[in-house]
Amino acid sequence: MSLLTSFQKKFLICPCSEDADYVTVVIYQKNKIVCTTPARLSTREHAQYFCAIDVEDFIGQKDVVLRVEPCHSKRDIPKNPDISQAELDRLQSALFESDTVETSHKFRPWIHFTTISGWHNDPNGLFWMDGTYHMYFQKQPTSLRPIWDQPFQWGHAVSNDLFNWIELSPVIRFPPASSGSAFINRQNGNICISHNCKIEESSDKGYRYQPIAEHPLIGADPKIFWHEDLQKYVCVSLDSQGEYRISHSEDLHNWTEQSHIYGYHECPDLIKLPIVGTDESKWVLYGGDLGYRIGNFDGYSFIPDKMEENRKDTFIPMRALSIERAEVLDKYNGVFTYPEAYIAYSGQTFANLPDERWIRMIWLRKFYTDEGVPFSQCMCVPQELSLRYTPLGLRLCCMPVKEIEQYYLESVSLCEKTIDQSFFGAAFDVKAEFYAGQILQVGALSFRYDREQETIFISGDQKEIAFAYPIGDGKIKLRCIADCGIFEFYIGEGEIYYPVRTDEHSETLIVRCEENVAVTVTSLAKACYR
């Protein structure tokens, strides 16, 4: 059934069920696809959750056709390529329009961004302009799991404080776009985005885009920025599996290849940071798995510094792609975890910030399996990056941005011989200091430090993991952001970042310690979708 329609409301609501096969919801305009997304459509009476497609751009427009079609993904997903037209018509008749979407859900995080509905992953094209932070991100609005060979949109959210995000209409619907970045056009001050060998420019400060350039050297997952010393644009992009390419351009149209970097995969970011407490600066290059190197960049080649011999924090490969090349093992850990997991992936920094900070967002792989939940995955708490000398050596550190303090509620400070206390609420900021021989429990995880092995041991409901951390007899600083089944741990000044996901969404945070430990627990107000 092809339904000639003129949308009157902002959202097309799709009843969905995890028991249903995948189909595809397609919107045509003037016989061309303008939006397509996979969905496990159901009837309203059998729906387990309701997803929303933003159709605001099509309100009142003519020649718009809505169709539900078979899903032709080659992935191993529940689908029926021979589904009857009668069944497709039945599913299409269950779709309906709405001006609003229900975003309140007891399992939705309070301070971690989640999309209104569906799946999201990589943050793309982050920038600040005129008091507003913009975040684009990969999105499939009607599927709770990624169908990688089906189109992804670029979702769009804005915030004036990095926490209270408002999701707007996508900036890219169709043709689809893979990951990319944002930067400022030095000629006119407009914001630009780059993806899939293309550059697009916005004349309305980031809400709509028009293509302005296309070149093969822009490549996949491009990170483009202006190099002040060279007075040229630099593009770092994925050339092939495990390899980045660096290219130059003076005008965004003509690009020349300069060098290659081996041992990285997907989503590059290359930034220059001052070393805290010195007059020096260094460049940091990291990839999709957040493994990084520190070095120098002259605009032509990235030359990594020699890594310390017998360093304690050997690289932990996070997925099979991380060990395709031997060079990849010679990196620092941007995130600490156990090898078979990769909870944090694809970090990107904001362009055009008004201050000298470097702020990063990371995709956190958090599945919400509770019945009725219409969204999947979340972003990390925004991180401020710094280069510091730490017990491990010179390292890239990350800590929650100071803006989180706007959402502080009640704080409780504990410094007793025995701590065993439960805190009721959804989100908390926990700060603690403990010494070797002491055991600190935050939520489901316990931390202890072995002085002889110079190692932090973390145990919980999944498994024990150990990180070398040579502090001697000194105290250990730990910070934790807890939020609806997500725990982000920062040790020291953030040189160790350890995110954890749990399937249990308790409304109580337990803090325990049998020794004298200084702990401050601050409850957090709701920021997202408040």
Side-chain angles (χ1 to χ4, degrees), residues 111-112 381 398-400 404 408 426-434 440-447 477-492 494 496-500 502 509-511 519-524:
I111 57 170
H112 290 79
V381 165
C398 63
M399 292 295 282
I404 194 172
Y408 278 6
F428 299 92
D429 188 349
V430 181
K431 299 175 183 178
E433 294 181 350
F434 64 102
L440 170 67
Q441 179 182 338
V442 180
L445 295 183
S446 294
F447 297 79
K477 293 170 58 178
L478 180 143
R479 187 172 180 183
C480 171
I481 305 297
D483 182 18
C484 298
I486 308 159
F487 293 82
E488 293 186 85
F489 291 95
Y490 310 82
I491 295 175
I496 294 180
Y497 169 58
Y498 180 56
V500 179
T502 66
L509 179 72
I510 298 174
V511 178
V519 180
T520 300
V521 179
T522 304
S523 57
L524 294 168

Side-chain angles (χ1 to χ4, degrees), residues 150-430:
Q150 297 298 294
F152 280 77
Q153 301 177 352
W154 269 32
H156 183 195
V158 295
S159 174
N160 61 8
D161 65 4
L162 291 166
F163 285 94
N164 180 23
W165 292 99
I166 299 171
E167 188 168 348
L168 306 177
S169 299
V171 293
I172 298 177
R173 298 177 187 270
F174 194 87
S178 57
S179 292
S181 63
F183 62 96
I184 298 295
N185 187 331
R186 303 286 291 193
Q187 184 176 4
N188 55 24
N190 287 340
I191 191 72
C192 293
I193 57 175
S194 59
H195 61 86
N196 302 86
C197 301
K198 301 174 183 177
I199 295 175
E200 300 183 37
E201 186 176 73
S202 174
S203 58
D204 63 359
K205 301 182 180 181
Y207 297 90
R208 290 176 176 79
Y209 287 86
Q210 294 294 327
I212 62 168
E214 186 168 357
H215 197 285
L217 289 181
I218 296 173
D221 296 0
K223 172 62 185 287
I224 295 179
F225 61 94
W226 178 256
H227 194 285
E228 194 65 38
D229 292 341
L230 286 180
Q231 291 291 294
K232 293 181 180 180
Y233 296 96
V234 172
C235 177
V236 186
S237 60
L238 182 65
D239 189 28
S240 61
Q241 297 284 17
E243 183 177 356
Y244 290 162
R245 174 179 54 219
I246 294 177
S247 303
H248 282 175
S249 176
E250 296 181 352
D251 59 7
L252 298 177
H253 296 274
N254 301 288
W255 293 85
T256 56
E257 184 175 303
Q258 302 299 324
S259 61
H260 285 75
I261 310 169
Y262 299 97
Y264 293 84
H265 180 75
E266 296 187 341
C267 306
D269 205 351
L270 179 59
I271 59 176
K272 186 179 183 180
L273 288 166
I275 300 175
V276 175
T278 77
D279 295 329
E280 298 179 79
S281 295
K282 286 285 185 179
W283 289 81
V284 177
L285 173 68
Y286 63 83
D289 63 4
L290 303 179
Y292 68 93
R293 291 294 301 269
I294 301 169
N296 297 304
F297 179 61
D298 61 1
Y300 296 89
S301 300
F302 176 74
I303 308 299
D305 292 346
K306 183 179 180 180
M307 302 185 77
E308 305 92 334
E309 295 182 4
N310 302 317
R311 76 181 195 277
K312 299 292 186 180
D313 53 337
T314 55
F315 183 62
I316 305 170
M318 296 176 62
R319 56 186 300 185
L321 290 171
S322 296
I323 55 176
E324 288 183 349
R325 294 180 179 271
E327 298 97 323
V328 84
L329 298 178
D330 199 19
K331 287 198 278 187
Y332 297 121
N333 294 292
V335 59
F336 288 73
T337 183
Y338 44 94
E340 61 269 29
Y342 59 108
I343 297 170
Y345 194 78
S346 181
Q348 189 173 122
T349 51
F350 281 84
N352 198 45
L353 287 180
D355 50 29
E356 295 182 353
R357 293 186 296 171
W358 284 98
I359 297 175
R360 179 172 70 179
M361 301 294 289
I362 302 172
W363 162 35
L364 296 184
R365 294 172 53 85
K366 167 62 176 170
F367 291 90
Y368 296 86
T369 57
D370 307 276
E371 185 172 348
V373 176
F375 56 89
S376 181
Q377 315 298 287
C378 67
M379 297 296 183
C380 73
V381 165
Q383 303 174 344
E384 181 175 355
L385 302 181
S386 63
L387 266 181
R388 298 173 180 269
Y389 285 102
T390 75
L392 297 169
L394 182 61
R395 296 292 184 270
L396 178 65
C397 299
C398 63
M399 292 295 282
V401 294
K402 61 185 178 182
E403 285 84 350
I404 194 172
E405 296 175 4
Q406 301 176 54
Y407 294 92
Y408 278 6
L409 297 175
E410 182 182 4
S411 291
V412 177
S413 295
L414 306 170
C415 188
E416 304 169 0
K417 185 172 181 59
T418 299
I419 296 173
D420 187 350
Q421 191 158 338
S422 297
F423 299 87
F424 182 78
F428 299 92
D429 188 349
V430 181

Side-chain angles (χ1 to χ4, degrees), residues 3 21 62 135 147 192 255 423 431 467:
L3 179 62
D21 290 334
K62 300 179 180 179
M135 176 172 61
I147 314 301
C192 293
W255 293 85
F423 299 87
K431 299 175 183 178
F467 303 137

Side-chain angles (χ1 to χ4, degrees), residues 13 15-16 42-48 50 93-97:
I13 307 300
C16 297
S42 175
T43 57
R44 293 196 202 186
E45 58 269 26
H46 293 106
Q48 296 174 344
F50 291 84
S93 66
L95 307 181
F96 61 98
E97 292 184 67

Side-chain angles (χ1 to χ4, degrees), residues 448-457 466-470:
R448 64 182 177 88
Y449 184 75
D450 188 297
R451 181 185 290 111
E452 292 185 1
Q453 298 184 55
E454 295 187 318
T455 298
I456 294 176
F457 292 91
F467 303 137
Y469 196 58

